Amino acid sequence: MANITQARGLCTAPFLPLSNFLSTVGYLDGRFCAPVPSAEGTHDCCLPCPITDWVYSDDFNTIPKAANWLNVAGMVCSTSLLLSFVILPVQKTNRHYLTIGLVVAICFMQLGFIIPLGAKPEQCHDAITPNDMYSDITCAFSGAFLLFGGFAAILWGFLRSLSIHLQICWQVVTGKKFFWSSLIAGWGLPGLFLAIMLPLTGTSYRFGDTCHINHTKALQDYWGPLLAFAAISTILQFVTFGYCIKVYIKSLLNDGSTNSITKVSSGLPTHSSHSGSVKTVTAGQAYRRVKKVVSLQWRGTAIVLIIIINVVFLSIVFVQMDNTVTAALQDFGTAEPWLLCLVINVGDKTPCLNKVKQAGLVENEGTVMAALVLLSLNGIWSLLFIGRTSMLIGWIDLVRRPFTKRNDFVSVDARGYSKSPKTYEMITSPPTSSEMPKIPNALVTSPRSEQEGLSPLPQSPPSPSSQYTNDYFKGEVGPKSQDWSFSQARQADYKSPKLSFSTPRPPSAGRSFSRESYGRPYQPQIGRNSPGRPLSPPIRRESGGSTFTSAYDWDPATSYAPPSTHLPGYSRPDQYNL
């Protein structure tokens, strides 16, 4: 710097004296100042703000602006994805909370580039001092959104990599615990690191209209944790990918017997196996399971890898820039040829650009441009990988629905009985209690048959709801009689199944039925001569002057099975065609 003073005097162009700007409140560390010794003492001379105008070409300013507009296009893509997740059904979007969290994190990151487009902030607080989050509110919001979104995107990518790894490699089905843990970690940790980073490091205008993190302690409180989660996520991705390759190769070499994974459980039974059971999972089965999971998750895995690569690439570029700036401020000997060139050329930077590159004070212009552009394309990549053609079909159906006449299917029966909605059923439902027919007071009995040899047992009154079902033995009620008789003309022929050992039986062929015994519970008794059953004294019932000894152990009124043919004096009635 002494050579600069001897050549042009104290703080010659383009340098400005630091003593004129001591009362500013902008980003003081963002100044590029150097002590200059002279006969009057040491004076600090500073380059004008912004410093990027002196180390890069004039075309460099178009790179941050192009990156900001790319983020606008990415925001449109991300917003369309979120709207599809909210409005369209899950069958169209196949949404998942890990995917939604990743897309929302990308939106936060894009806001850091979009806010300066509307605000059009001033990068410099004065001639030598850049603005920071304390002197410019736009810088505070743009920097906070950018840092929070970048960290959240890396963390949600890590959670997605962990979920896929658990499902594929360990057969663990993530549930509610993993869901709530992901929400807390995915949004809590980025907020925590942002609260720690902003007071310790802060943000400022380093290049472009977007505020970036400062280099003071940036590696400890932001870049270090971010790179750690990115490294763990990358390792999980490679381990999972290696396991998939292993399963695929094993399925190719599997012969069905030797190449299988056999697990024999022993000891006490667990929740998934019993004691002594054998669970065999062949390589082919494992390959099909892994293939199914990969086919469902490969889109999310691809976008996670892309975001990790972009954010890590940007972080490496920024870390290297921080290291070069710190080294230049600590040792001005490396920057002296470039500074002397600026003094000799009276502020013309064009002849001095090669010297600043040779000194290694800045990153390559193409590298910085690639980092910004790749980071701005994350929203577009998310739509290409997470978006589906079914979403487009769902939006088309949603837009056309109000203008399309609905042609719902209506059956012929429904048209024929449109006046009575209750008759839409193929089988008529029983009427309500108000429409139920009343049970006749007079006792209804089946006609007696003197040829039976047995007095009929009491018959239970028919259920009202049974009148509205398809009964093959439905009877007709005569107008002049109080009896429920069986109509031989309407009685359907019964076809006994091949493996059935019972035949239908009329209700009158069982026990006596009288008005006095109506409502009395049926008490089955065991017959005397029933083979294989213990003997018990018969119970005699009086009904209408007749005496009947019950020898049945079943209810003839509810069963159509024939009684035991070993009863004395019993003969099958032929008049019922059974």
Side-chain angles (χ1 to χ4, degrees):
M1 297 299 294
N3 294 333
I4 298 175
T5 305
Q6 295 174 2
R8 293 291 182 178
L10 181 64
C11 293
T12 57
F15 295 94
L16 299 174
L18 177 62
S19 58
N20 297 338
F21 306 98
L22 294 179
S23 60
T24 57
V25 294
Y27 178 47
L28 302 181
D29 291 339
R31 299 170 175 173
F32 192 87
C33 302
V36 178
S38 64
E40 300 176 357
T42 302
H43 299 275
D44 291 332
C45 299
C46 304
L47 278 175
C49 177
I51 192 175
T52 54
D53 291 345
W54 302 99
V55 296
Y56 293 111
S57 63
D58 295 334
D59 297 334
F60 181 80
N61 293 327
T62 60
I63 298 175
K65 294 181 180 179
N68 293 348
W69 285 107
L70 281 176
N71 279 276
V72 173
M75 177 62 75
V76 173
C77 298
S78 302
T79 306
S80 63
L81 278 177
L82 293 178
L83 290 177
S84 300
F85 291 152
V86 173
I87 298 176
L88 298 180
V90 67
Q91 294 82 6
K92 300 291 185 180
T93 61
N94 197 20
R95 59 178 177 262
H96 195 269
Y97 65 92
L98 294 176
T99 304
I100 296 175
L102 182 62
V103 176
V104 173
I106 294 175
C107 290
F108 277 111
M109 187 166 51
Q110 291 167 341
L111 285 175
F113 293 96
I114 295 176
I115 289 176
L117 289 177
K120 296 180 180 180
E122 184 64 34
Q123 296 186 27
C124 298
H125 183 74
D126 56 29
I128 64 173
T129 308
N131 274 318
D132 61 354
M133 63 180 186
Y134 298 105
S135 59
D136 187 70
I137 190 65
T138 304
C139 178
F141 279 98
S142 64
F145 280 128
L146 178 61
L147 298 177
F148 178 82
F151 202 101
I154 290 294
L155 202 55
W156 280 103
F158 162 74
L159 293 172
R160 190 176 185 90
S161 302
L162 179 61
S163 174
I164 297 176
H165 178 76
L166 293 176
Q167 293 181 52
I168 293 179
C169 300
W170 302 99
Q171 295 85 45
V172 176
V173 180
T174 57
K176 290 186 177 180
K177 292 183 179 179
F178 191 85
F179 168 73
W180 291 110
S181 301
S182 299
L183 290 180
I184 295 174
W187 302 119
L189 288 180
L192 178 62
F193 280 100
L194 183 67
I196 296 174
M197 182 273 302
L198 288 180
L200 295 179
T201 303
T203 60
S204 64
Y205 292 104
R206 300 186 59 177
F207 55 86
D209 294 336
T210 301
C211 274
H212 299 277
I213 187 172
N214 299 325
H215 61 270
T216 304
K217 298 181 181 180
L219 185 61
Q220 292 84 355
D221 54 23
Y222 186 78
W223 297 119
L226 184 142
L227 292 175
F229 280 107
I232 296 173
S233 179
T234 305
I235 292 173
L236 288 176
Q237 292 283 358
F238 279 105
V239 171
T240 306
F241 184 69
Y243 179 81
C244 294
I245 295 177
K246 175 186 174 182
V247 170
Y248 176 71
I249 295 176
K250 196 168 186 180
S251 65
L252 294 179
L253 302 177
N254 182 31
D255 57 356
S257 59
T258 58
N259 295 330
S260 61
I261 305 171
T262 305
K263 296 181 180 180
V264 182
S265 61
S266 60
L268 295 176
T270 61
H271 67 281
S272 61
S273 62
H274 296 283
S275 178
S277 63
V278 178
K279 181 181 179 181
T280 302
V281 179
T282 63
Q285 293 173 347
Y287 171 71
R288 288 190 293 269
R289 176 180 55 80
V290 171
K291 182 180 178 181
K292 183 177 181 180
V293 177
V294 171
S295 63
L296 294 174
Q297 303 292 341
W298 73 270
R299 299 170 182 267
T301 303
I303 188 62
V304 165
L305 290 176
I306 291 175
I307 292 175
I308 289 176
I309 292 173
N310 294 341
V311 174
V312 169
F313 182 43
L314 181 66
S315 62
I316 292 175
V317 171
F318 268 84
V319 169
Q320 290 181 354
M321 292 177 64
D322 294 338
N323 294 334
T324 55
V325 171
T326 303
L329 293 176
Q330 293 176 355
D331 185 11
F332 284 97
T334 58
E336 186 173 352
W338 168 59
L339 298 175
L340 183 59
C341 179
L342 290 176
V343 173
I344 294 174
N345 292 279
V346 194
D348 187 8
K349 67 177 181 179
T350 304
C352 305
L353 292 178
N354 292 330
K355 295 184 179 296
V356 73
K357 293 179 181 179
Q358 293 174 1
L361 298 178
V362 293
E363 285 294 324
N364 188 11
E365 185 174 330
T367 304
V368 178
M369 179 180 66
L372 292 177
V373 171
L374 289 178
L375 189 66
S376 303
L377 291 176
N378 287 330
I380 301 176
W381 290 124
S382 63
L383 179 62
L384 293 178
F385 284 94
I386 301 177
R388 300 171 180 269
T389 55
S390 59
M391 294 182 182
L392 181 60
I393 297 174
W395 280 110
I396 294 175
D397 295 341
L398 185 64
V399 173
R400 294 175 56 185
R401 188 178 302 169
F403 307 99
T404 305
K405 183 178 180 181
R406 299 181 62 182
N407 296 324
D408 296 338
F409 173 77
V410 179
S411 64
V412 178
D413 296 332
R415 294 194 188 100
Y417 299 98
S418 58
K419 295 182 180 180
S420 178
K422 293 183 179 180
T423 59
Y424 284 175
E425 299 285 345
M426 294 298 293
I427 300 177
T428 308
S429 302
T432 59
S433 58
S434 60
E435 300 176 357
M436 282 287 187
K438 297 181 179 181
I439 301 175
N441 296 328
L443 190 62
V444 180
T445 59
S446 298
R448 283 181 175 270
S449 177
E450 300 298 335
Q451 300 177 0
E452 290 180 353
L454 296 175
S455 299
L457 294 177
Q459 173 67 29
S460 301
S463 173
S465 61
S466 63
Q467 303 176 25
Y468 301 93
T469 58
N470 293 329
D471 190 358
Y472 287 106
F473 302 100
K474 183 189 296 185
E476 295 180 352
V477 179
K480 298 181 181 181
S481 175
Q482 297 295 332
D483 296 338
W484 294 75
S485 61
F486 284 87
S487 175
Q488 299 295 332
R490 296 185 58 182
Q491 181 175 349
D493 295 335
Y494 178 79
K495 297 181 180 180
S496 178
K498 294 181 180 181
L499 299 179
S500 176
F501 300 97
S502 62
T503 55
R505 180 175 178 81
S508 60
R511 52 180 179 169
S512 60
F513 188 81
S514 62
R515 186 173 299 179
E516 291 80 5
S517 61
Y518 175 74
R520 184 181 302 171
Y522 175 72
Q523 299 179 355
Q525 299 293 330
I526 302 176
R528 292 188 177 187
N529 298 329
S530 178
R533 300 180 181 273
L535 299 177
S536 60
I539 299 177
R540 305 181 68 86
R541 299 177 180 174
E542 301 293 336
S543 176
S546 62
T547 302
F548 173 70
T549 301
S550 175
Y552 302 97
D553 56 347
W554 48 277
D555 187 358
T558 59
S559 174
Y560 294 114
S564 176
T565 56
H566 297 282
L567 296 176
Y570 172 79
S571 63
R572 181 188 297 271
D574 296 333
Q575 58 180 343
Y576 294 100
N577 299 325
L578 300 177

